Amino acid sequence: MGSKKKIRVLATKPGLDGHDRGIKVVASALMDAGMEVIYTGFRQTPLQVVEAAIQEDVDVIAMSSLSGAHDYLFPKVMELLKERGADDILVIGGGIIPDEDIPALKACGISEIFGPGTNTQDVIKYIKENVKR
Amino acid sequence: MPEKNDLEKLRKAFDEWSKSVEKKLAKRPERKPTFINTSGIPIERVYSPLNVEWLDYLSDLGFPGDYPFTRGVQPTMYRGRLWTMRQYAGFASAEESNRRYKFLLDQGQTGLSVAFDLPTQIGYDSDHEMALGEVGKVGVAIDSLEDMEALFRDIPLDKVSTSMTINAPAAILLAMYIAVAEQQGVPQEKLRGTIQNDILKEYSSRGTYIFPPKPSMRIVTDIIAYCSEKVPNWNTISISGYHIREAGSTAVQEVAFTLANGIAYVRAALDAGLHVDAFAPRLSFFFNAHLDFFEEIAKFRAARRLWARIMKQRFGAKDPRSMMIRFHTQTAGCTLTAQQPQNNIVRVAFEALAAVLGGTQSLHTNSMDEALCLPSEQAVQVALRTQQIVGHEIGVTETVDPMGGSYYVEELTRQICERAEDYIKRIDEMGGAPAAIEKGFIQKEIQDSAYAYQREIEKKERIVVGVNSYQVEEEKPTNLLRVDPAVRVSQVEKLKKLKAERDNSKVKETLESLRQAAEGKDNLMFPIIDAVKAYATLGEICDTLRAVFGEYKGVAAFGS
């Protein structure tokens, strides 16, 4: 990761959940930290998320779900990323996600889950330290 | 009002007092250089009659039940009857939710409030691809009249009032409710309750829209027209600031954007040929109760005064009921913390108290565990008990509007009115709320406030106990309430069986009538009721309307 190239992030909400306050706040904070952020809006299918990520050539996908559908949607996104050989993208998640669900999400390749009360500076730091390309 | 001479004396005394305080500040400064609330209103060191010189008791406040209703919409308020205690609930299947409703009614709850899952709210049956992962998660899954029958089994619909948080497909769920009532032998004239039916805030804040704004507004006015004739005790719409606030707005923005939406609905109903006093008494509202105690109380009072004036002056309403804001309140979900969740009980209690001191007609108190998961039965019970304690134990219900006359609250009420009016004027100039939403103006304002709020927390200018201060190492909570993924499987099975057993030619026929009505101008409620009774599914009905109206794709409202 060269210091000249800006980190590109796809901020997105897979599923039907419209609670976008959190993802927009995170997106604003990432922009203020010098990253390029593409926000897809909500109601995205996992396929749309993956296609947007590949098309926009992002380094990071940050996705959020507050409806409890993360247990289906997040692994589905990972599965499609692998199918397309784009699993070098750093994927992080946030929202209302019970702690007991986190091990399964990490097992399918999601790097980190950020819950309610997260400081956006921690997200920024995490991305900078872990971005893979 | 104080006499002029008294005011002069007071002003002199105040100046002297201020000077002496200023002198001491060098040694003992205040905690902050400036005090300012979430709406950006600067807060004075102290309030006195000098701050409310403007106040004209009869025209600004009036007595409870009198215009402009600042002090309350009923003359006796809670001395007559407490607010309706109404906990929003619903998850998994209709059978499971029915059990929760009976539990809540057994615990002394006085009204029902139905939460639907996202596929239902966006008009997809449980077997639709878009529904994968979402069935039964944030509410109950309703695919057809069959599910609605199970949802209200053994609950007499002439005895309870039911609120349904449903917007884009509101007409369909109302039609199902009417059909279930009919099966119970309850005529629709007797039904009491509310459908949210507030599509404008879906575009700006909540996200469960289906159709573009224009046909959506037509559906809203069709419902208003139908109910004003056939379901006279039904609240046809619940114009909601709640979600605007949850999305991050300030208190002033909550009032302003909600009332701007209200103006748009009134305008649409008038344009459809209805008379203002024929429908306006059945418009209801829904606000958030956030943490800043006095700002919230003032907000509720300001909303009442402002709406009364709008209805009287702008729309020429004659019936006082057309000028009253009757509202439901929910404590602010966004103020709950996942850290030390028991602290949420205290937050919710203060928010509930603000709602009651603000004169709410009904109230939902959030459960302590809602930043983590769906509320457990025990958590819901504590939340309901909180309302009962406020209602019965602490004496705040014994007189009407006990905060009335507080120099601080009256001045805050005025400032919130004034700032909200400024916003409404700007929105008027843009062509009204639908145009302001289409431009992304309202979304942008909310988004900026949300980001500013978060930055205050991160800079510790705003303390959130347990989150940015007073943290502890804590055990991760376990045994959270979860929805069994089998719900989807059984809903899909039910749909298959239903489609095999119902009279499919009847379904086809009713959907065809609906399509024709949608293409023309007839009120959509009639063909929707017919389709629902023929057991057409929610998805089929919405697809019929999608084919005519199209789907809304959203506005890109993010950015700086």
Side-chain angles (χ1 to χ4, degrees), chain B residues 75-101:
Chain B
T76 61
M77 287 301 289
Y78 308 133
R79 286 167 66 102
R81 182 177 83 73
L82 296 186
W83 61 93
T84 302
M85 298 180 187
R86 195 192 293 280
Q87 298 296 96
Y88 182 46
F91 57 97
S93 64
E95 290 77 10
E96 188 108 356
S97 300
N98 178 267
R99 271 194 291 278
R100 178 64 71 93
Y101 297 156

mmCIF file of all heavy atoms in Angstrom, chain B residues 75-101:
data_model
loop_
_atom_site.group_PDB
_atom_site.id
_atom_site.type_symbol
_atom_site.label_atom_id
_atom_site.label_comp_id
_atom_site.label_asym_id
_atom_site.label_seq_id
_atom_site.Cartn_x
_atom_site.Cartn_y
_atom_site.Cartn_z
ATOM 1 N N PRO B 75 -58.674 18.992 28.062
ATOM 2 C CA PRO B 75 -58.751 19.891 29.222
ATOM 3 C C PRO B 75 -58.261 19.250 30.518
ATOM 4 O O PRO B 75 -57.727 19.946 31.377
ATOM 5 C CB PRO B 75 -60.242 20.251 29.307
ATOM 6 C CG PRO B 75 -60.962 19.410 28.326
ATOM 7 C CD PRO B 75 -59.969 18.787 27.407
ATOM 8 N N THR B 76 -58.437 17.958 30.681
ATOM 9 C CA THR B 76 -58.034 17.357 31.963
ATOM 10 C C THR B 76 -56.788 16.491 31.849
ATOM 11 O O THR B 76 -56.240 16.071 32.869
ATOM 12 C CB THR B 76 -59.162 16.480 32.552
ATOM 13 O OG1 THR B 76 -59.445 15.414 31.635
ATOM 14 C CG2 THR B 76 -60.422 17.294 32.779
ATOM 15 N N MET B 77 -56.351 16.234 30.636
ATOM 16 C CA MET B 77 -55.176 15.389 30.386
ATOM 17 C C MET B 77 -55.162 14.150 31.291
ATOM 18 O O MET B 77 -56.139 13.439 31.328
ATOM 19 C CB MET B 77 -53.889 16.211 30.503
ATOM 20 C CG MET B 77 -53.678 17.162 29.325
ATOM 21 S SD MET B 77 -53.598 16.348 27.704
ATOM 22 C CE MET B 77 -52.004 15.526 27.812
ATOM 23 N N TYR B 78 -54.062 13.916 32.006
ATOM 24 C CA TYR B 78 -53.924 12.626 32.710
ATOM 25 C C TYR B 78 -54.754 12.550 33.994
ATOM 26 O O TYR B 78 -54.807 11.498 34.624
ATOM 27 C CB TYR B 78 -52.456 12.349 33.024
ATOM 28 C CG TYR B 78 -51.531 12.468 31.825
ATOM 29 C CD1 TYR B 78 -50.340 13.179 31.895
ATOM 30 C CD2 TYR B 78 -51.862 11.866 30.604
ATOM 31 C CE1 TYR B 78 -49.502 13.293 30.799
ATOM 32 C CE2 TYR B 78 -51.025 11.989 29.506
ATOM 33 C CZ TYR B 78 -49.837 12.704 29.602
ATOM 34 O OH TYR B 78 -49.024 12.815 28.521
ATOM 35 N N ARG B 79 -55.394 13.652 34.384
ATOM 36 C CA ARG B 79 -56.348 13.562 35.493
ATOM 37 C C ARG B 79 -57.565 12.762 35.042
ATOM 38 O O ARG B 79 -58.229 12.109 35.845
ATOM 39 C CB ARG B 79 -56.801 14.950 35.948
ATOM 40 C CG ARG B 79 -55.744 15.701 36.734
ATOM 41 C CD ARG B 79 -56.110 17.159 36.876
ATOM 42 N NE ARG B 79 -57.306 17.391 37.675
ATOM 43 C CZ ARG B 79 -57.295 17.803 38.940
ATOM 44 N NH1 ARG B 79 -56.138 18.024 39.536
ATOM 45 N NH2 ARG B 79 -58.414 18.019 39.590
ATOM 46 N N GLY B 80 -57.858 12.841 33.735
ATOM 47 C CA GLY B 80 -58.975 12.067 33.188
ATOM 48 C C GLY B 80 -58.569 10.626 32.965
ATOM 49 O O GLY B 80 -59.141 9.698 33.528
ATOM 50 N N ARG B 81 -57.532 10.437 32.175
ATOM 51 C CA ARG B 81 -57.094 9.096 31.817
ATOM 52 C C ARG B 81 -55.609 9.171 31.506
ATOM 53 O O ARG B 81 -55.160 10.127 30.870
ATOM 54 C CB ARG B 81 -57.873 8.653 30.570
ATOM 55 C CG ARG B 81 -57.593 7.261 30.057
ATOM 56 C CD ARG B 81 -58.496 6.915 28.865
ATOM 57 N NE ARG B 81 -58.004 7.428 27.578
ATOM 58 C CZ ARG B 81 -56.957 6.929 26.925
ATOM 59 N NH1 ARG B 81 -56.253 5.932 27.415
ATOM 60 N NH2 ARG B 81 -56.580 7.444 25.772
ATOM 61 N N LEU B 82 -54.843 8.175 31.931
ATOM 62 C CA LEU B 82 -53.419 8.164 31.574
ATOM 63 C C LEU B 82 -53.275 7.939 30.071
ATOM 64 O O LEU B 82 -54.219 7.527 29.400
ATOM 65 C CB LEU B 82 -52.687 7.066 32.340
ATOM 66 C CG LEU B 82 -52.637 7.196 33.869
ATOM 67 C CD1 LEU B 82 -51.749 6.094 34.455
ATOM 68 C CD2 LEU B 82 -52.121 8.573 34.306
ATOM 69 N N TRP B 83 -52.099 8.178 29.565
ATOM 70 C CA TRP B 83 -51.791 7.891 28.166
ATOM 71 C C TRP B 83 -51.952 6.386 27.889
ATOM 72 O O TRP B 83 -51.953 5.577 28.823
ATOM 73 C CB TRP B 83 -50.363 8.348 27.842
ATOM 74 C CG TRP B 83 -49.338 7.640 28.686
ATOM 75 C CD1 TRP B 83 -48.658 6.502 28.386
ATOM 76 C CD2 TRP B 83 -48.919 8.016 30.014
ATOM 77 N NE1 TRP B 83 -47.838 6.150 29.420
ATOM 78 C CE2 TRP B 83 -47.984 7.044 30.435
ATOM 79 C CE3 TRP B 83 -49.249 9.064 30.877
ATOM 80 C CZ2 TRP B 83 -47.371 7.108 31.687
ATOM 81 C CZ3 TRP B 83 -48.636 9.120 32.123
ATOM 82 C CH2 TRP B 83 -47.708 8.149 32.514
ATOM 83 N N THR B 84 -52.069 6.046 26.614
ATOM 84 C CA THR B 84 -52.131 4.639 26.238
ATOM 85 C C THR B 84 -50.725 4.054 26.293
ATOM 86 O O THR B 84 -49.806 4.601 25.685
ATOM 87 C CB THR B 84 -52.694 4.492 24.810
ATOM 88 O OG1 THR B 84 -53.980 5.097 24.781
ATOM 89 C CG2 THR B 84 -52.817 3.031 24.406
ATOM 90 N N MET B 85 -50.564 2.980 27.049
ATOM 91 C CA MET B 85 -49.246 2.341 27.152
ATOM 92 C C MET B 85 -49.174 1.282 26.062
ATOM 93 O O MET B 85 -49.925 0.312 26.071
ATOM 94 C CB MET B 85 -49.074 1.732 28.533
ATOM 95 C CG MET B 85 -49.126 2.808 29.607
ATOM 96 S SD MET B 85 -48.920 2.189 31.267
ATOM 97 C CE MET B 85 -49.248 3.692 32.204
ATOM 98 N N ARG B 86 -48.296 1.535 25.101
ATOM 99 C CA ARG B 86 -48.351 0.763 23.874
ATOM 100 C C ARG B 86 -46.936 0.354 23.475
ATOM 101 O O ARG B 86 -46.173 1.151 22.960
ATOM 102 C CB ARG B 86 -48.976 1.652 22.795
ATOM 103 C CG ARG B 86 -49.436 0.936 21.563
ATOM 104 C CD ARG B 86 -49.770 1.916 20.458
ATOM 105 N NE ARG B 86 -50.921 2.791 20.662
ATOM 106 C CZ ARG B 86 -52.187 2.437 20.478
ATOM 107 N NH1 ARG B 86 -52.496 1.221 20.106
ATOM 108 N NH2 ARG B 86 -53.151 3.310 20.646
ATOM 109 N N GLN B 87 -46.579 -0.887 23.736
ATOM 110 C CA GLN B 87 -45.234 -1.372 23.392
ATOM 111 C C GLN B 87 -45.239 -1.977 21.985
ATOM 112 O O GLN B 87 -46.031 -2.854 21.668
ATOM 113 C CB GLN B 87 -44.778 -2.432 24.409
ATOM 114 C CG GLN B 87 -44.650 -1.925 25.843
ATOM 115 C CD GLN B 87 -43.577 -0.870 26.009
ATOM 116 O OE1 GLN B 87 -43.858 0.327 25.983
ATOM 117 N NE2 GLN B 87 -42.332 -1.292 26.178
ATOM 118 N N TYR B 88 -44.331 -1.463 21.187
ATOM 119 C CA TYR B 88 -44.153 -1.921 19.798
ATOM 120 C C TYR B 88 -43.591 -3.340 19.849
ATOM 121 O O TYR B 88 -42.548 -3.565 20.454
ATOM 122 C CB TYR B 88 -43.154 -0.973 19.155
ATOM 123 C CG TYR B 88 -42.808 -1.159 17.699
ATOM 124 C CD1 TYR B 88 -43.780 -1.372 16.741
ATOM 125 C CD2 TYR B 88 -41.487 -1.054 17.281
ATOM 126 C CE1 TYR B 88 -43.443 -1.482 15.395
ATOM 127 C CE2 TYR B 88 -41.133 -1.157 15.933
ATOM 128 C CZ TYR B 88 -42.120 -1.371 15.002
ATOM 129 O OH TYR B 88 -41.787 -1.479 13.676
ATOM 130 N N ALA B 89 -44.278 -4.287 19.251
ATOM 131 C CA ALA B 89 -43.794 -5.664 19.347
ATOM 132 C C ALA B 89 -44.211 -6.473 18.130
ATOM 133 O O ALA B 89 -45.203 -6.175 17.469
ATOM 134 C CB ALA B 89 -44.331 -6.323 20.616
ATOM 135 N N GLY B 90 -43.441 -7.506 17.897
ATOM 136 C CA GLY B 90 -43.737 -8.406 16.791
ATOM 137 C C GLY B 90 -42.441 -9.000 16.304
ATOM 138 O O GLY B 90 -41.447 -8.297 16.149
ATOM 139 N N PHE B 91 -42.418 -10.299 16.147
ATOM 140 C CA PHE B 91 -41.245 -10.960 15.588
ATOM 141 C C PHE B 91 -41.641 -12.364 15.187
ATOM 142 O O PHE B 91 -42.650 -12.892 15.642
ATOM 143 C CB PHE B 91 -40.101 -10.998 16.608
ATOM 144 C CG PHE B 91 -40.451 -11.673 17.913
ATOM 145 C CD1 PHE B 91 -40.118 -13.001 18.145
ATOM 146 C CD2 PHE B 91 -41.142 -10.988 18.892
ATOM 147 C CE1 PHE B 91 -40.453 -13.615 19.338
ATOM 148 C CE2 PHE B 91 -41.486 -11.604 20.082
ATOM 149 C CZ PHE B 91 -41.142 -12.921 20.308
ATOM 150 N N ALA B 92 -40.836 -12.930 14.311
ATOM 151 C CA ALA B 92 -41.031 -14.309 13.867
ATOM 152 C C ALA B 92 -42.396 -14.481 13.218
ATOM 153 O O ALA B 92 -42.777 -13.727 12.342
ATOM 154 C CB ALA B 92 -40.804 -15.268 15.019
ATOM 155 N N SER B 93 -43.159 -15.456 13.716
ATOM 156 C CA SER B 93 -44.424 -15.785 13.062
ATOM 157 C C SER B 93 -45.587 -15.047 13.721
ATOM 158 O O SER B 93 -45.464 -14.484 14.806
ATOM 159 C CB SER B 93 -44.672 -17.283 13.188
ATOM 160 O OG SER B 93 -44.820 -17.612 14.550
ATOM 161 N N ALA B 94 -46.728 -15.087 13.052
ATOM 162 C CA ALA B 94 -47.935 -14.468 13.592
ATOM 163 C C ALA B 94 -48.321 -15.139 14.912
ATOM 164 O O ALA B 94 -48.753 -14.463 15.854
ATOM 165 C CB ALA B 94 -49.072 -14.596 12.574
ATOM 166 N N GLU B 95 -48.139 -16.440 14.997
ATOM 167 C CA GLU B 95 -48.509 -17.171 16.214
ATOM 168 C C GLU B 95 -47.660 -16.713 17.398
ATOM 169 O O GLU B 95 -48.163 -16.464 18.485
ATOM 170 C CB GLU B 95 -48.343 -18.697 16.003
ATOM 171 C CG GLU B 95 -49.352 -19.329 15.050
ATOM 172 C CD GLU B 95 -49.060 -19.083 13.569
ATOM 173 O OE1 GLU B 95 -47.952 -18.570 13.237
ATOM 174 O OE2 GLU B 95 -49.941 -19.371 12.727
ATOM 175 N N GLU B 96 -46.357 -16.592 17.151
ATOM 176 C CA GLU B 96 -45.432 -16.166 18.197
ATOM 177 C C GLU B 96 -45.747 -14.734 18.650
ATOM 178 O O GLU B 96 -45.750 -14.428 19.843
ATOM 179 C CB GLU B 96 -43.999 -16.211 17.641
ATOM 180 C CG GLU B 96 -42.934 -15.984 18.656
ATOM 181 C CD GLU B 96 -42.173 -17.285 18.957
ATOM 182 O OE1 GLU B 96 -42.542 -18.341 18.427
ATOM 183 O OE2 GLU B 96 -41.231 -17.196 19.725
ATOM 184 N N SER B 97 -46.028 -13.863 17.704
ATOM 185 C CA SER B 97 -46.332 -12.466 18.032
ATOM 186 C C SER B 97 -47.654 -12.372 18.785
ATOM 187 O O SER B 97 -47.788 -11.563 19.707
ATOM 188 C CB SER B 97 -46.391 -11.628 16.759
ATOM 189 O OG SER B 97 -45.151 -11.677 16.099
ATOM 190 N N ASN B 98 -48.617 -13.183 18.386
ATOM 191 C CA ASN B 98 -49.913 -13.239 19.083
ATOM 192 C C ASN B 98 -49.714 -13.560 20.558
ATOM 193 O O ASN B 98 -50.342 -12.960 21.432
ATOM 194 C CB ASN B 98 -50.800 -14.279 18.375
ATOM 195 C CG ASN B 98 -52.153 -14.469 19.047
ATOM 196 O OD1 ASN B 98 -52.302 -15.349 19.893
ATOM 197 N ND2 ASN B 98 -53.130 -13.653 18.689
ATOM 198 N N ARG B 99 -48.773 -14.486 20.833
ATOM 199 C CA ARG B 99 -48.474 -14.832 22.232
ATOM 200 C C ARG B 99 -47.894 -13.627 22.983
ATOM 201 O O ARG B 99 -48.247 -13.357 24.116
ATOM 202 C CB ARG B 99 -47.486 -16.014 22.290
ATOM 203 C CG ARG B 99 -48.156 -17.383 22.287
ATOM 204 C CD ARG B 99 -47.180 -18.487 22.676
ATOM 205 N NE ARG B 99 -46.154 -18.699 21.651
ATOM 206 C CZ ARG B 99 -46.334 -19.442 20.546
ATOM 207 N NH1 ARG B 99 -47.485 -20.053 20.343
ATOM 208 N NH2 ARG B 99 -45.370 -19.582 19.677
ATOM 209 N N ARG B 100 -46.986 -12.884 22.312
ATOM 210 C CA ARG B 100 -46.383 -11.711 22.963
ATOM 211 C C ARG B 100 -47.454 -10.642 23.238
ATOM 212 O O ARG B 100 -47.459 -10.012 24.282
ATOM 213 C CB ARG B 100 -45.248 -11.167 22.090
ATOM 214 C CG ARG B 100 -44.546 -9.915 22.581
ATOM 215 C CD ARG B 100 -43.769 -10.014 23.889
ATOM 216 N NE ARG B 100 -42.543 -10.777 23.906
ATOM 217 C CZ ARG B 100 -41.312 -10.299 23.714
ATOM 218 N NH1 ARG B 100 -41.135 -9.037 23.455
ATOM 219 N NH2 ARG B 100 -40.254 -11.073 23.790
ATOM 220 N N TYR B 101 -48.389 -10.458 22.319
ATOM 221 C CA TYR B 101 -49.446 -9.453 22.529
ATOM 222 C C TYR B 101 -50.293 -9.819 23.741
ATOM 223 O O TYR B 101 -50.649 -8.961 24.551
ATOM 224 C CB TYR B 101 -50.354 -9.328 21.294
ATOM 225 C CG TYR B 101 -49.634 -8.855 20.055
ATOM 226 C CD1 TYR B 101 -50.116 -9.146 18.784
ATOM 227 C CD2 TYR B 101 -48.453 -8.113 20.150
ATOM 228 C CE1 TYR B 101 -49.455 -8.730 17.644
ATOM 229 C CE2 TYR B 101 -47.781 -7.695 19.014
ATOM 230 C CZ TYR B 101 -48.285 -8.013 17.764
ATOM 231 O OH TYR B 101 -47.613 -7.603 16.638
#
